[in-house]
Amino acid sequence: MRGTPAGMASPHPLGGQLPAVYADDDFAQRFVEGLDVVLAPLFNVLDCLESYFTPALAPEDFVDWLTTWVGTELDGTEPLATRRRAVATAVSLHRVRGTRRGLSEAVHLAFGVRPEITESGGATWSARPLGPFPGSSQPGLRVTLRIRDPSTADPHRLHAVVAAARPAHLPFTAEVAHLLSPEGT
C-alpha cells in the first residue's frame, strides 16, 4: 500500500506560485506546504507513469491490478515474477487463445510445466471427395499435467486454466498425474 513517503518534495511547490501578497504570509506558506506533501506523490506517479505500465518496473500492487486488467488467468498466489511475465505475455497469449499452442502456453505459465494435450480432431487433405475424416467422431480434449509430486498442483486450478484457454466448443478433462520415468531407471 503506497502512501506519502517521508521527505518527498514536490517538484512544483505551491508557495512560490501564490500571489505576491501571500509571499511573506507565514500561515499561507505553511498551509500550501501541507498541500505540497499531498501532491508530491501524485507528481511522482505522473512523472513515472510509463513505468507503471511496464510489467518489469511496475510496483507489485499495480502488477496485481494489471493482471486483472489484461485478462490473465491467475489466482493471485503466484510469485511476483510469474505475475509480471503473465502481464507481459498477455497479448501474445490472447492471440493464440483457443489453440493447442495457446492452451499449452497458458498451462505452462500457470504451473511451469508443459502439459500433454490429446485432441479428438484433426485435419487432412485428399485429392478425392468423400474421404475419411481424421480423428474421432466424438469431440473432446484431454490435458494431462505430469509432475513429480501431483499433490503439489491444484487440480481445480488446472481445470480453471484449461477451461479459460481451450477451444470454446470442446468438452474437456484435465488431470494431474505422476511424471513417467524412463524405462530401466
Side-chain angles (χ1 to χ4, degrees), residues 36-135:
D36 285 338
V37 171
V38 174
L39 292 175
L42 296 175
F43 287 129
N44 186 37
V45 167
L46 291 174
D47 287 344
C48 303
L49 191 59
E50 183 180 336
S51 298
Y52 278 76
F53 294 101
T54 304
L57 302 175
E60 184 173 353
D61 60 333
F62 202 81
V63 170
D64 292 337
W65 180 74
L66 285 176
T67 61
T68 62
W69 199 40
V70 298
T72 62
E73 301 300 330
L74 301 177
D75 63 2
T77 61
E78 295 83 3
L80 179 60
T82 300
R83 289 178 280 161
R84 288 184 190 278
R85 191 170 53 253
V87 172
T89 61
V91 171
S92 63
L93 279 178
H94 285 306
R95 285 185 187 135
V96 294
R97 192 177 197 132
T99 66
R100 181 183 186 107
R101 179 176 155 219
L103 177 58
S104 178
E105 291 294 329
V107 172
H108 182 258
L109 180 65
F111 293 95
V113 177
R114 296 261 179 223
E116 290 177 9
I117 300 173
T118 308
E119 301 173 273
S120 61
T124 189
W125 178 88
S126 175
R128 289 182 281 166
L130 302 175
F133 287 106

